[in-house]
Every structure is written in C-alpha cells, then in structure tokens.
Amino acid sequence: MFFRPLRLFGVCLPKLIFALVFVALWIAQPARSQNVFHFGNHIPSFHGGYYINGIPSSAFIDTGENRFQKAGRTFGQSIGGVEGVANDLADIGLFPFREPLLFGAAALGVGVLAANDYAITSYYKDNVEPLFAGFNLPPIVPRTRTSPLRFLSVEDQYLVAGIGATYAYGIAFNDERAQVAALLSTKAVAYSYLVSQVLLKPVFGRVRPSRDLSSYGGPVDVIDRSGRSPNPYNWGNAVPVSLTPSNFGTSFPSFHYTAYFSVARVYSGVYDNSWVPYVVAGALLASNIRSHNHWVSDMAAGALIGTVIGQSILNNYAERRGGLNTTFTPIVSSSGIGAQFSMTF
C-alpha cells in the first residue's frame, strides 16, 4: 500500500531505489572519517587494541587516476585474488582460536539464549513480530516460478540492488570508497552463504520453530507437517547441503542475519557510519518478518558470525593496501578489447 502512489504517478521503483542510493552516498561524503573508524572501542582484541576497526580515510585520498585505472586497481585490491580470498576464509575459520575470549563470550551468550529459546522465541513471535507484520517491501523483480531469481527473497533483491547501485555510483563518479564498499560487500554475501548455508546449517541440523509456538505450552518433541517443532533442543538432524532455501533442519544459524550483518559491518567500516548500514539491515530483516522463522538464538548467532565475516574482510583489505598492490585495467582501443594486470610490491 505504501508504494501505490508511486505507481499512480508512473514512478519506476527500481530506478527510484538507484536514485536514492546515489543521493545517499553523495550526502554521506562530508561525513567520512578523518583517521580510523572508532565504533566498538570497548571490544578489546586478544592481541591488543580493539577488534572492531575500519578503513582509514587516508586509503581513499584522490590519486588522480582516470576511471579505468582506479576501477582496475580497486578491483584487484578489494578481491585480492586467490590469496586474498584464502586469507579471508582462514581468518573467518580461525577466529575462535585467534580471539578465544570474544568467541567464548559470544558462544556463552548464544548458548544462554538457546537454553531458554522456547520462552524467548515465544515472546518474540507473540509480541515483536506483530509490530512489523504489515511491513512488506514490494519486489523489484517479480518472483515467478520460471524466474531465475525465484530463490532470491524480496529483501535480498534490495540488498543486491543496493550493492550494485553503490558500485555504479563509484564508477560513475570515480569514487574509490564506494567501489570498495560494493566489492567487499559482495565478498561478504558470498562468504555468508558459504559459512551459513553450506557449512554450518548441515552440521547443526536444528529444526525451525513451529509458527504457533506458544500454543504448545512448552517444549514438545514433535515435528509438525511443515517440518517444524516446538522443541528448541532438536538438533543434529543431518541434512544434505542445499544450495536453495529449504526448511527441515536448517534453522541454525540464520543466513539472512549473517549476510545482512556482514554487509552492514563492511559499509560501516568503509564509511565510518554505523547508523545507516545497520538501520538498513534492520529494515530488511523487519520486512516480511514472519518468513524468517528462526529461534532467537539462530538470529543472534547469525549476527555475530556476520560481524566476524565483515571484520575479517576489512582487516585483510587494510593489510593488502599496505602491501602487495594488484591492479586490473581494462583496455579499449581501435585494435580491440583487452586487459592489463600488474603487481607492485
């Protein structure tokens, strides 16, 4: 209902979204950090200093490069090649060993939630979900059975569109910060899918909560027709890896919380702005809120894992900026189209 006036005036929603992203990024420019990102200074790292850090503004000074040169260099530094991806995944996987205190605190918190999930999730479903029950973002692309995007939720469409618009803005205005945010966020989504959907969900095999959870009066070890259960302790249901959304045994952790928080952490670290990325993530999670159907501990675990993924990506990007420099430059001439790779040490 909210977007009906836009249709009456003939406004194209996807174009409006891209325009709003461009305006938001342009407005955000004066608020860039002067030194480093300071959010989370009360979260100490096991190795000294603080765990939450962003990218210093000195990394985004004007280099005088043309559009192709800057886009090529930025792409190489952001992706980092095979070594860069390997370092990202290693840091994500080794987080429990490199930051044992933070991991222990996070695991304890999620464990306490999981132990009390029936009461907490019942309250969430009865009191929190109804507050947002009428909030549903309209699809950017219709989700039909024959559409190649049918497995992409409406909220995921907005995430992808936002990342795409950020990159388009970066190319159009030769803005390195925007290009970095988009490329690192793309990695964050990919890693979130790998860690949550492919690795952790099949391992933990937790059954999703029944929709009418509070009506059971307590944990009951039953499985309803939809493959859900009012028993939060129903774990270990080994399921095969599924590359598409599935229901039974895929509750822990929440993929969407993992992905949205990882992207929010990247944007927050690149732009030195916590409010906008996390408000947007919250809006995406609030849209069609009943469709998530997770225990509260699933969501908390997803948010924590996503934060680790995003921070690992930021850390490795910052290290690459101080070391190996890899660039990819497209070449277009009357003789043909090609590309040039270069490395500086």
Side-chain angles (χ1 to χ4, degrees):
M1 295 296 294
F2 178 79
F3 286 95
R4 185 165 294 175
L6 299 178
R7 292 196 294 269
L8 291 176
F9 288 100
V11 176
C12 176
L13 182 58
K15 292 180 180 178
L16 176 63
I17 293 171
F18 271 69
L20 291 176
V21 171
F22 270 53
V23 172
L25 290 171
W26 178 76
I27 293 175
Q29 304 309 305
R32 292 174 177 176
S33 62
Q34 296 302 311
N35 294 297
V36 296
F37 184 67
H38 291 296
F39 174 75
N41 277 7
H42 298 295
I43 305 178
S45 170
F46 186 72
H47 303 284
Y50 302 103
Y51 178 69
I52 299 295
N53 282 297
I55 309 300
S57 284
S58 58
F60 303 114
I61 60 175
D62 186 12
T63 58
E65 298 166 293
N66 63 40
R67 185 171 284 100
F68 283 139
Q69 290 173 330
K70 180 173 289 186
R73 175 180 58 78
T74 301
F75 183 90
Q77 291 175 336
S78 298
I79 303 302
V82 175
E83 182 180 0
V85 172
N87 288 338
D88 291 341
L89 295 177
D91 282 357
I92 294 168
L94 294 175
F95 171 79
F97 306 99
R98 293 181 174 176
E99 296 289 348
L101 297 181
L102 291 181
F103 174 76
L108 178 63
V110 172
V112 170
L113 289 175
N116 298 276
D117 248 337
Y118 182 84
I120 296 172
T121 305
S122 294
Y123 181 88
Y124 173 83
K125 284 182 170 292
D126 293 342
N127 297 277
V128 178
E129 286 186 349
L131 298 175
F132 303 95
F135 176 52
N136 299 290
L137 292 169
I140 300 175
V141 178
R143 299 179 68 202
T144 63
R145 290 186 177 182
T146 58
S147 171
L149 300 178
R150 62 186 180 277
F151 297 120
L152 201 64
S153 71
V154 171
E155 293 71 37
D156 291 342
Q157 290 183 14
Y158 282 84
L159 178 70
V160 172
I163 294 174
T166 303
Y167 191 69
Y169 173 91
I171 295 295
F173 293 94
N174 204 20
D175 188 310
E176 182 175 352
R177 188 185 295 262
Q179 294 177 44
V180 169
L183 292 169
L184 297 185
S185 293
T186 301
K187 295 174 72 176
V189 173
Y191 296 162
S192 296
Y193 187 83
L194 174 63
V195 172
S196 174
Q197 193 74 17
V198 178
L199 298 179
L200 296 183
K201 285 179 182 286
V203 169
F204 286 101
R206 192 184 197 186
V207 177
R208 293 176 184 267
S210 299
R211 294 192 183 280
D212 52 345
L213 188 60
S214 59
S215 67
Y216 288 86
V220 181
D221 195 18
V222 297
I223 303 293
D224 61 28
R225 293 182 178 179
S226 61
R228 299 179 175 90
S229 174
N231 181 12
Y233 312 119
N234 197 329
W235 301 73
N237 301 279
V239 294
V241 174
S242 175
L243 299 181
T244 58
S246 56
N247 191 32
F248 183 74
T250 58
S251 189
F252 185 93
S254 166
F255 163 69
H256 285 102
Y257 271 77
T258 303
Y260 295 169
F261 270 77
S262 69
V263 171
R265 176 79 278 274
V266 167
Y267 271 85
S268 184
V270 172
Y271 277 99
D272 189 15
N273 186 312
S274 297
W275 289 103
V276 174
Y278 286 101
V279 167
V280 171
L284 294 179
L285 291 167
S287 174
N288 196 18
I289 192 170
R290 294 189 191 277
S291 68
H292 295 298
N293 203 40
H294 281 284
W295 301 98
V296 168
S297 61
D298 302 336
M299 306 179 220
L304 292 170
I305 294 169
T307 300
V308 170
I309 290 173
Q311 189 59 54
S312 298
I313 292 171
L314 289 171
N315 290 346
N316 282 315
Y317 171 76
E319 289 180 7
R320 283 194 298 276
R321 288 302 305 266
L324 180 65
N325 222 357
T326 304
T327 63
F328 168 83
T329 306
I331 300 174
V332 180
S333 68
S334 58
S335 302
I337 299 175
Q340 175 180 324
F341 292 87
S342 63
M343 289 186 178
T344 57
F345 299 85

